[in-house]
Amino acid sequence: MTMAEYNIKIENVVASTKLAEEFDLIKIESEFEGAEYNKQKFPGLVYRVTEPKAAFLIFTSGKVVCTGAKNVADVHTVIGNLGKKLNGIGQETLDDPEITVQNIVASADLHAVLNLNAIAIGLGLENIEYEPEQFPGLVYRIAEPKVVVLIFSSGKLVVTGGKSPSDCDQGVEVVRQQLDSMGLL
Amino acid sequence: MTMAEYNIKIENVVASTKLAEEFDLIKIESEFEGAEYNKQKFPGLVYRVTEPKAAFLIFTSGKVVCTGAKNVADVHTVIGNLGKKLNGIGQETLDDPEITVQNIVASADLHAVLNLNAIAIGLGLENIEYEPEQFPGLVYRIAEPKVVVLIFSSGKLVVTGGKSPSDCDQGVEVVRQQLDSMGLL
DNA sequence: TCAGTATTTAAAGATATATTTATATTTATT
DNA sequence: AATAAATATAAATATATCTTTAAATACTGA
């Protein structure tokens, strides 16, 4: 089983970090072009960057959530850049902040048309949710790795909830093996 | 059993008194900064003070409800101050009005993690209400003293309905003894 | 007669707010 | 016909609001 074979591709990485002891969000909003902060609406400041493309939620506590990067390296790049930019407007940041990947979303393709009703029955109703009138994907919760896989009749998958690329790969493999063993692949 | 041991703390005192034969709420609203009176919404005028912090409901009848004080002494302080302030705008008040404590809310901590399901069964379903999907606290009605205790799985308690600090202390003790006798503490 | 209106306060669990992203189906809008 | 929004999934962050309980006051509507 290879990444290439099933077109496994990381689509989104969510990471968190603590960049400072505290931030002045009002000052950041006034200095960062495009930054949006409305405390009554949501307690974090929203800031988007490109190259690489990502978005930040920046909080008064100094904590930051980074979303939208396509890989973990990009996460480190954009958070590093953000730190420099914050220093550039006089906001003190911590040295060498730890960055924790919290969620990875990946897509994959089993290259087969799937019978979701049969899959639902085969996997056992306690591990899945499938209500096609509500959402066309079957929701499959895997214990190890601890991920959730959305399975579509087209053979496409979305793997979410993982903390590492490996979690995504293994999630796809678990689904593939189970479908294979049920003769549904 | 001591206040200190269970961190019993009075959080709110509700008291009532009759300060005058009648009040002109429209005049009071115009003279007292921050006062709010909308007869159609509620028949009392709302007035908040600080140092000590409290709120008043002032009625045309001359009766007043005081809420939000942290102890009985503060209640007497703020009601005394209110009387002087009312005199200051020409509202006549009665001499030496009686102040009645109507409700005391206290918090406490048993310093133990509690099994609320077991407690519900042990105390008897006729004396308690516990619907964790609706509210995470178990509601326990005690006859003597006549208080209601909210019991949380964290070991924290809220005692309400008492008329004296002693009611709160005794309420905590009743709960402690009963949990102890059931081996749940 | 009762329930609601308003005020205060602690406890703690749920839900919502916002961000991102793939997937696919339906509905609504332009 | 094209586009947008809703449906569902995960995760961090941090606020607000709701749930419950008691009590006085007084007014309205069912």
Side-chain angles (χ1 to χ4, degrees):
Chain A
M1 181 276 290
T2 64
M3 290 277 281
E5 189 174 347
Y6 299 114
N7 297 105
I8 302 175
K9 182 188 174 198
I10 292 178
E11 305 284 1
N12 186 29
V13 179
V14 179
S16 63
T17 183
K18 185 176 170 74
L19 283 194
E21 284 309 323
E22 74 176 341
F23 283 133
D24 180 348
L25 299 185
I26 293 172
K27 180 169 176 68
I28 295 174
E29 189 190 26
S30 71
E31 301 269 4
F32 282 14
E33 188 174 344
E36 302 156 29
Y37 179 49
N38 179 341
K39 189 182 168 78
Q40 286 182 336
K41 195 176 164 191
F42 184 74
L45 176 148
V46 179
Y47 182 60
R48 299 175 176 86
V49 296
T50 56
E51 296 173 46
K53 184 176 177 242
F56 296 104
L57 299 178
I58 304 175
F59 297 89
T60 302
S61 62
K63 290 189 180 181
V64 173
V65 173
C66 169
T67 63
K70 291 290 187 183
N71 57 64
V72 177
D74 281 356
V75 170
H76 285 260
T77 300
V78 294
I79 290 182
N81 293 345
L82 177 69
K84 294 192 192 83
K85 208 173 164 69
L86 288 162
N87 292 153
I89 63 166
Q91 299 284 305
E92 284 186 49
T93 56
L94 303 171
D95 292 331
D96 201 27
E98 181 179 5
I99 296 171
T100 307
V101 170
Q102 304 287 6
N103 185 28
I104 296 186
V105 180
S107 61
D109 192 349
L110 296 181
H111 304 294
V113 171
L114 303 176
N115 180 338
L116 297 185
N117 282 314
I119 293 174
I121 294 168
L123 290 177
L125 295 175
E126 63 279 10
N127 299 317
I128 65 99
E129 286 162 44
Y130 181 46
E131 296 169 46
E133 286 185 13
Q134 196 173 339
F135 185 76
L138 182 152
V139 181
Y140 179 35
R141 301 172 190 284
I142 296 177
E144 183 55 45
K146 184 174 177 288
V147 296
V148 174
V149 186
L150 306 183
I151 306 174
F152 296 90
S153 58
S154 63
K156 298 283 189 69
L157 308 177
V158 172
V159 184
T160 184
K163 304 278 192 185
S164 67
S166 162
D167 282 344
C168 300
D169 296 341
Q170 290 169 30
V172 173
E173 181 57 13
V174 165
V175 168
R176 190 204 64 78
Q177 283 179 352
Q178 287 201 280
L179 298 194
D180 201 27
S181 73
M182 293 190 292
L184 296 174
L185 196 55
Chain B
M1 181 276 292
T2 65
M3 291 277 280
E5 188 174 347
Y6 299 115
N7 297 105
I8 303 176
K9 182 188 174 200
I10 292 177
E11 305 283 1
N12 186 30
V13 179
V14 179
S16 63
T17 184
K18 186 176 170 72
L19 282 194
E21 285 307 323
E22 74 177 339
F23 282 133
D24 181 347
L25 298 186
I26 293 173
K27 181 170 175 65
I28 294 174
E29 189 191 25
S30 69
E31 301 269 3
F32 281 15
E33 186 175 345
E36 304 156 29
Y37 179 49
N38 180 340
K39 188 180 170 77
Q40 286 182 334
K41 193 178 165 191
F42 185 76
L45 177 149
V46 178
Y47 182 57
R48 299 177 176 87
V49 296
T50 56
E51 295 174 45
K53 184 176 175 243
F56 296 103
L57 300 179
I58 305 174
F59 297 89
T60 302
S61 63
K63 289 188 178 180
V64 172
V65 172
C66 168
T67 63
K70 290 290 186 183
N71 58 63
V72 177
D74 281 356
V75 171
H76 286 261
T77 299
V78 295
I79 293 183
N81 293 345
L82 177 67
K84 295 193 191 83
K85 209 171 162 67
L86 287 161
N87 292 154
I89 63 165
Q91 299 284 304
E92 283 185 49
T93 55
L94 302 173
D95 292 330
D96 202 25
E98 182 178 3
I99 296 170
T100 307
V101 170
Q102 304 285 7
N103 184 27
I104 295 185
V105 180
S107 61
D109 191 349
L110 296 182
H111 304 295
V113 172
L114 304 175
N115 180 339
L116 297 187
N117 282 313
I119 293 174
I121 294 169
L123 290 178
L125 296 175
E126 64 279 10
N127 298 317
I128 66 98
E129 286 160 44
Y130 181 47
E131 295 167 49
E133 285 184 14
Q134 194 174 341
F135 185 73
L138 181 152
V139 181
Y140 179 36
R141 300 172 191 284
I142 297 177
E144 184 56 45
K146 184 173 178 287
V147 294
V148 173
V149 185
L150 305 183
I151 306 175
F152 295 89
S153 58
S154 63
K156 299 284 189 70
L157 309 177
V158 172
V159 185
T160 183
K163 304 279 193 185
S164 67
S166 163
D167 282 345
C168 300
D169 295 341
Q170 289 169 32
V172 173
E173 181 57 14
V174 165
V175 169
R176 192 203 63 79
Q177 283 179 352
Q178 286 199 280
L179 299 193
D180 201 25
S181 73
M182 294 190 291
L184 296 172
L185 196 55

